Short mmCIF file of all heavy atoms in Angstrom, two decimals:
data_model
loop_
_atom_site.label_atom_id
_atom_site.label_comp_id
_atom_site.label_asym_id
_atom_site.label_seq_id
_atom_site.Cartn_x
_atom_site.Cartn_y
_atom_site.Cartn_z
N HIS A 29 33.76 62.31 -36.60
CA HIS A 29 35.11 61.76 -36.49
C HIS A 29 35.32 60.76 -37.60
O HIS A 29 34.39 60.37 -38.30
CB HIS A 29 35.28 61.11 -35.12
CG HIS A 29 34.27 60.03 -34.84
ND1 HIS A 29 32.99 60.32 -34.45
CD2 HIS A 29 34.35 58.69 -34.94
CE1 HIS A 29 32.32 59.20 -34.29
NE2 HIS A 29 33.11 58.19 -34.60
N HIS A 31 35.19 57.69 -38.87
CA HIS A 31 34.52 56.53 -38.33
C HIS A 31 35.13 55.21 -38.78
O HIS A 31 35.18 54.24 -38.01
CB HIS A 31 33.04 56.58 -38.69
CG HIS A 31 32.22 55.70 -37.81
ND1 HIS A 31 32.32 55.73 -36.44
CD2 HIS A 31 31.32 54.75 -38.09
CE1 HIS A 31 31.51 54.84 -35.93
NE2 HIS A 31 30.89 54.22 -36.90
N CYS A 34 37.94 54.58 -36.54
CA CYS A 34 37.62 54.23 -35.15
C CYS A 34 37.09 52.81 -35.07
O CYS A 34 37.24 52.14 -34.04
CB CYS A 34 36.73 55.28 -34.48
SG CYS A 34 34.95 55.11 -34.60
N HIS A 68 27.39 52.63 -34.11
CA HIS A 68 27.88 53.77 -33.37
C HIS A 68 26.82 54.37 -32.48
O HIS A 68 26.79 55.57 -32.20
CB HIS A 68 28.42 54.83 -34.32
CG HIS A 68 29.50 55.64 -33.71
ND1 HIS A 68 29.25 56.73 -32.93
CD2 HIS A 68 30.84 55.50 -33.73
CE1 HIS A 68 30.40 57.24 -32.53
NE2 HIS A 68 31.37 56.49 -32.98
ZN1 ZN E 228 33.23 56.05 -34.22
#
Side-chain angles (χ1 to χ4, degrees):
Chain A
H29 57 281
H31 199 50
C34 90
H68 209 275

